Amino acid sequence: MSSPASPSVPSITLANGVTMPAIGLGTWPMTDGEAEVAVAHALRIGWRLVDTAENYANEVGVGRGIRASGVDRSEVFVTTKFNKKWHSVDGVRQACEASLARLGLDYVDLLLVHWPNPDQDRYVEAVEGLFRVLDAGLVRAVGVSNFKVAHLERLFARGLVPHVNQIQLDPLHRRDDVAALAKTKGMVIESWSPSGRAGALLGEPAVLAAAVAHGRTPAQIVLRWHVEHGWVPLPKSSDPTRQAQNLAVFDFALTAAERAALDGLDRPDPAMYDSDVFGH
Ligand code: A2P
């Protein structure tokens, strides 16, 4: 089956020259069955980056969805992540091979350390393991997820610069310290829960005002905010209409005032996951 004409998604270039779509489909908390349907539909309408993880327990469904879509594997950028039990050089290789088997693929485009788990104190070895599977050709790029400034600095001090850091980031949680540090090393930031976790963000007056001004949905305004900052948002949606809306954020621009208004929503959130204490 050939893929129908679909909007082309812009790409960004990682520090090793690999290109990555500028927006991607999140898949948590889809089941295998849900992921198969959602991924197949998303790829058919033009999505080109799919984000999964060992911990989501849906890699089998994601792989099935890719094959069901009819889109050529080479056109899809597949990301997965591994849990803390694999934080060693040999463990990362095993984790990678296990993910590839579940996905039914012979390489992934991006493999991430899911959480730093500093209590375990083995994330440096995990990143060393990532560079081994990169050298072995099992992955095209490597990265970390939920790494804070102290975790990144420890990697940098060892000369380890992953290509990506995927973090919780949205206008209420701007993460300026992490984003600025990553930028100094050419790391790309991906945003999980880009539209805010509890939905409150989509009702913020600054978001609603921009939505009215542009004739867009609040989610489109927030996703556009990520894109304009150079961050790669990973909105999850199983709904065909919202999947289409979330992709349609490359044909309009926020004004400087609108962007500043969204920037101004940043505030402390005591309920936010702290990757110094939470992780799996
Ligand atoms: P649905 O799959 O029904 O679209 P998170 O980013 O924390 O994973 O949350 C994603 C949530 O946001 C899901 O419940 C998803 O529901 C919903 N969602 C995704 N896209 C949109 C959108 N454009 N507008 C409103 N809600 C959305």
Side-chain angles (χ1 to χ4, degrees):
M1 187 195 311
S2 63
S3 49
S6 46
S8 61
V9 181
S11 289
I12 58 163
T13 304
L14 304 178
N16 66 345
V18 167
T19 56
M20 182 171 89
I23 192 167
L25 184 76
T27 65
W28 186 83
M30 296 179 193
T31 63
D32 275 324
E34 290 166 346
E36 180 175 351
V37 173
V39 167
H41 180 78
L43 293 176
R44 286 187 191 122
I45 66 169
W47 289 80
R48 287 294 177 265
L49 190 166
V50 180
D51 183 272
T52 180
E54 171 190 12
N55 209 61
Y56 301 171
N58 64 15
E59 289 171 306
V60 169
V62 167
R64 286 182 182 148
I66 293 167
R67 285 182 289 284
S69 72
V71 175
D72 195 83
R73 160 70 186 100
S74 64
E75 289 184 38
V76 185
F77 191 100
V78 182
T79 302
T80 193
K81 324 179 186 80
F82 56 82
N83 285 344
K84 67 180 179 184
K85 72 188 251 201
W86 307 108
H87 284 201
S88 66
V89 170
D90 290 342
V92 172
R93 172 109 194 185
Q94 292 170 42
C96 184
E97 288 175 349
S99 280
L100 291 175
R102 286 187 293 268
L103 286 159
L105 300 176
D106 55 11
Y107 70 93
V108 286
D109 296 274
L110 177 65
L111 182 63
L112 308 178
V113 180
H114 203 151
W115 290 88
N117 293 285
D119 55 328
Q120 185 180 258
D121 197 19
R122 300 193 65 168
Y123 61 80
V124 173
E125 288 150 79
V127 173
E128 285 170 349
L130 280 176
F131 281 99
R132 297 278 186 94
V133 293
L134 180 68
D135 289 344
L138 297 181
V139 307
R140 297 176 66 230
V142 297
V144 294
S145 186
N146 302 300
F147 274 44
K148 302 204 294 192
V149 163
H151 312 135
L152 291 177
E153 282 177 337
R154 195 136 159 248
L155 296 181
F156 297 161
R158 299 282 291 264
L160 297 167
V161 183
H163 305 117
V164 167
N165 187 18
Q166 183 185 124
I167 56 174
Q168 182 182 358
L169 193 161
D170 65 72
L172 299 174
H173 307 89
R174 249 178 43 197
R175 314 298 303 277
D176 285 358
D177 56 345
V178 182
L181 178 62
K183 195 171 179 181
T184 65
K185 295 285 185 179
M187 289 178 77
V188 169
I189 294 285
E190 291 183 320
S191 319
W192 63 258
S193 287
S195 305
R197 298 208 82 208
L201 172 61
L202 300 182
E204 283 284 343
V207 175
L208 295 174
V212 169
H214 292 276
R216 300 283 171 152
T217 69
Q220 286 175 315
I221 296 299
V222 172
L223 294 171
R224 180 70 200 174
W225 174 88
H226 289 270
V227 166
E228 291 189 10
H229 275 289
W231 302 321
V232 175
L234 303 172
K236 173 261 172 187
S237 183
S238 307
D239 178 83
T241 303
R242 286 193 284 275
Q243 281 188 355
Q245 288 173 350
N246 293 349
L247 194 59
V249 295
F250 298 100
D251 58 349
F252 74 102
L254 302 177
T255 66
E258 289 164 345
R259 207 156 105 178
L262 265 70
D263 285 344
L265 297 176
D266 190 29
R267 62 180 82 132
D269 176 7
M272 187 179 160
Y273 283 117
D274 178 354
S275 61
D276 277 319
V277 292
F278 178 84
H280 46 66

